[in-house]
Amino acid sequence: MAKSRAFDVRRQTGFVPIALLCFLVLYLPIILLVVYSFNKGESIAIWEGFSWQWYVKAWQNEKVQDATILSLIIATSASLIATSAAVMAALATTRTRGFRGYTFVFALINQPLMIPEIVTAVALLIFFAMIKVATGYTGLMYLIIAHSAFCIPFAYMPIRARLQGMDLNLEQAGADLYGTPWRVFRRVTLPQLWPGVLAGSMLAFVISLDDVVITEFVKSAGQDTLPTYMLGQMRRVITPEVNAISTALLAISVALVIAFYLLSKGGTQTNRE
Amino acid sequence: MIEISGLSKTFGLGANAFTALDDINVEIRQNEFFTLLGPSGCGKTTLLRSIAGFVDPTSGSLTIEGQDVLPLPPYARPVNTVFQNYALFPHMTVAQNIGFGLEMQDRPKAEIKQVVGEMLELVQMAPMADRMTSQISGGQQQRVALARALAPRPKVLLLDEPLSALDFKLRKEMQIELKRLQSETGITFVFVTHDQEEALTMSDRIAVMSSGRILQIGGPKDIYDHPAERFVADFIGDTNFLEATLQSVAGEVATVTLPSGKTVAARAVQGGGQSGAVTLAVRPEHAVLTKESGLLDGVLENIVYFGTDTHYHITLDGGSAFVVRKQNQPNTGEGFEVGDKVGVSFEAGVGQVLRD
Ligand SMILES: Nc1ncnc2c1ncn2[C@@H]1O[C@H](COP(=O)(O)OP(=O)(O)OP(=O)(O)O)[C@@H](O)[C@H]1O
Ligand SMILES: [Mg+2]
């Protein structure tokens, strides 16, 4: 920092190396994970040549199949429920004029982001245990409800952003042109909101698909999702099968993130005059 | 047609309470071009939105063709609005926008198609029927907004400064187009503007508003020539104010004594007093400048040339300022020079006594 120039964070000593190191730490393991998913041997550290065998193994593994189906059922249901709830919550927090306790409601909706996940997990475990005792029901609903609950804020954020950017006059114009509240919602609000709804539901889907902590606490015996199955596997032998499953999950996530990006970009474009 | 009486609107409560409309009384006639004119924040939009149903008045009554509409939600009122920012639906085409109101009324498909076609012709947008509303210009959007509001044939069309976003030339075109639509459709127009010239050129009648109240209602000429209050005289056009003494009132004729001591007949104001100190308003173009002594005398301070006319700024003998506006003739050279002693005169009945 010899000559005094305008302050620029990039000129701090060591900024570039640190940034590079961060990227390396973040992405090198992922690259290795992907590479070793194609390993011929049983090791996840010693390269023995290329093969698809772990993908084939994972594909044929019944436990993996069951866990995948369960994961998809839970993620789809949770995403649908969370998105519907988020649409209503977003409408309530942007379309009504500021009411008492507004901040409180806002905090309430975003609660899962602020409370440590483990606390939620333990609380749900105890709560659901009580219900299980009372009703004897041990089905999937517990997982679906739990996932829906913690996915709401993720679905809520893009929907709310979209609603806030929306011209209130449009709905008034709809009402002025003889549209009843429900028809105005269907014909004016929802089409405007659609990119946000899609983005929110995809985000919720990925978050649900990825969850370990809450699932691990809430699940009943034999209910393994992909992440909890993998966790169980890791405790025993680690083979590149886990790499293969992870890589597949990674591919789904990346695809959804790209779709999310394209949708939100397309959304802002149609919004422009 | 529309009868509004005792209408008031207070926003907020307690210490934050703000009265946006204060005892509004007005009757708008069938197929009238009625304009609400006033400065920003005077309550024009609030009054319009009360008619449309987006504002719930605190007190008063509002009927359209004898029907009390205050209990009705916006979608049940026979009223359509052209919003200030148009509020076109961005996810629909021009034609779908125009057909929206008819569709919400569950009219048959064939009828919707026919009416949309007529409306597209009316606002000369037929070639762009299938464009998205983001793909047309500002003036075209404005016409679509107009067509969308007209398509369901409302009894009343409300327009909230619909021309304010347009450039000068387009604005002039749209003013003419609006007048044409009004006479062709027979619909009652309630038009909001803060542009006095626009109000004067387009309206059948104007209501001048200030701080939530209607100060005066009348035809453009009436409002311009005979403003009843200082605010109205000041807001519309330029005016000279003279401190005068009212001698007597006989019907519409008031006799006033000017500061110079001379007496002249002026127009009396409704509900004004019979005598005492009053303010007299005289339009600059209604007064004449003379080299001889006139009703008022003073010294020419400044001459400003404006092309079509010239403004003469005079300091009267009492010290107050007065402006005379004179239209320019091909053979100018009246021979007035700054510093000249001049007289100012105006005919009987030209001055207007103001309510205080
Ligand atoms: N929802 C509201 N809550 C509180 N005050 C309001 C509300 N709506 C309007 N007002 C106030 O009422 C007054 C009149 O507002 P209004 O929008 O009717 O003015 P306007 O005459 O249309 O002005 P402009 O020419 O700027 O559009 C303003 O002082 C405004 O601040
Ligand atoms: Mg306004």
Side-chain angles (χ1 to χ4, degrees), chain B residues 311-331:
Chain B
H311 297 188
Y312 298 89
H313 293 256
I314 300 131
T315 301
L316 298 176
D317 285 349
S320 54
F322 197 99
V323 179
V324 175
R325 188 184 299 167
K326 195 164 183 296
Q327 192 157 16
N328 291 326
Q329 304 296 332
N331 51 339

Side-chain angles (χ1 to χ4, degrees), chain A residues 167 169-170 172-181 183 187-188 191-192 270 272-273, chain B residues 49 54 75 77 80-81 83 85 87-92 101 103-106 148 152:
Chain A
D167 185 358
N169 277 318
L170 292 180
Q172 294 194 338
D176 190 63
L177 292 161
Y178 315 107
T180 55
R183 292 180 91 175
R187 293 293 314 278
V188 179
Q192 292 289 302
T270 49
R272 245 174 254 154
E273 286 288 288
Chain B
R49 291 167 60 82
F54 299 116
Y75 56 84
R77 299 192 186 193
N80 286 155
T81 308
F83 291 82
N85 64 352
L88 296 177
F89 304 124
H91 55 291
M92 297 183 197
E103 206 185 307
M104 291 296 117
Q105 288 181 323
D106 295 315
R148 185 180 69 173

Side-chain angles (χ1 to χ4, degrees), chain A residues 8 26 28 98 146 156 169 198 222-223:
Chain A
D8 184 342
L26 212 59
L28 188 63
Y156 172 76
N169 277 318
L198 277 185
Q223 292 179 338

Side-chain angles (χ1 to χ4, degrees), chain A residues 56-209:
Chain A
V56 177
K57 277 219 169 90
W59 184 254
Q60 287 168 346
N61 183 336
E62 266 178 36
K63 281 190 179 150
V64 174
Q65 287 172 6
D66 291 347
T68 307
I69 290 168
L70 197 69
S71 273
L72 289 179
I73 290 173
I74 293 172
T76 309
S77 321
S79 156
L80 284 177
I81 296 170
T83 307
S84 316
V87 167
M88 289 187 267
L91 283 172
T93 50
T94 51
R95 278 299 175 269
T96 51
R97 222 168 281 145
F99 51 90
R100 274 163 160 282
Y102 177 88
T103 326
F104 178 70
V105 169
F106 189 73
L108 216 60
I109 295 165
N110 287 307
Q111 169 276 127
L113 297 181
M114 296 171 216
I115 294 181
E117 203 182 352
I118 191 78
V119 175
T120 314
V122 172
L124 283 174
L125 172 75
I126 298 168
F127 182 63
F128 287 152
M130 282 157 63
I131 298 179
K132 275 183 203 175
V133 170
T135 63
Y137 174 74
T138 55
L140 256 188
M141 277 323 281
Y142 298 112
L143 276 173
I144 291 178
I145 292 171
H147 276 233
S148 302
F150 73 73
C151 283
I152 288 176
F154 296 97
Y156 172 76
M157 285 183 300
I159 294 172
R160 182 183 143 94
R162 185 81 199 167
L163 257 184
Q164 276 178 328
M166 198 178 140
D167 185 358
L168 244 180
N169 277 318
L170 292 180
E171 283 158 21
Q172 294 194 338
D176 190 63
L177 292 161
Y178 315 107
T180 55
W182 169 246
R183 292 180 91 175
V184 169
F185 176 75
R186 279 275 301 108
R187 293 293 314 278
V188 179
T189 314
L190 203 55
Q192 292 289 302
L193 215 54
W194 202 235
V197 171
L198 277 185
S201 63
M202 285 186 321
L203 212 55
F205 186 85
V206 173
I207 297 289
S208 163
L209 205 62

Side-chain angles (χ1 to χ4, degrees), chain B residues 9-47:
Chain B
K9 173 67 190 177
T10 304
F11 289 110
L13 290 170
N16 292 325
F18 178 84
T19 304
L21 293 178
D22 186 5
D23 191 24
I24 300 287
N25 293 288
V26 58
E27 188 183 338
I28 299 168
R29 299 172 195 143
Q30 181 70 44
N31 194 21
E32 186 171 36
F33 199 111
F34 191 88
T35 298
L36 301 172
L37 174 67
S40 184
C42 71
K44 306 180 295 287
T45 298
T46 308
L47 181 53

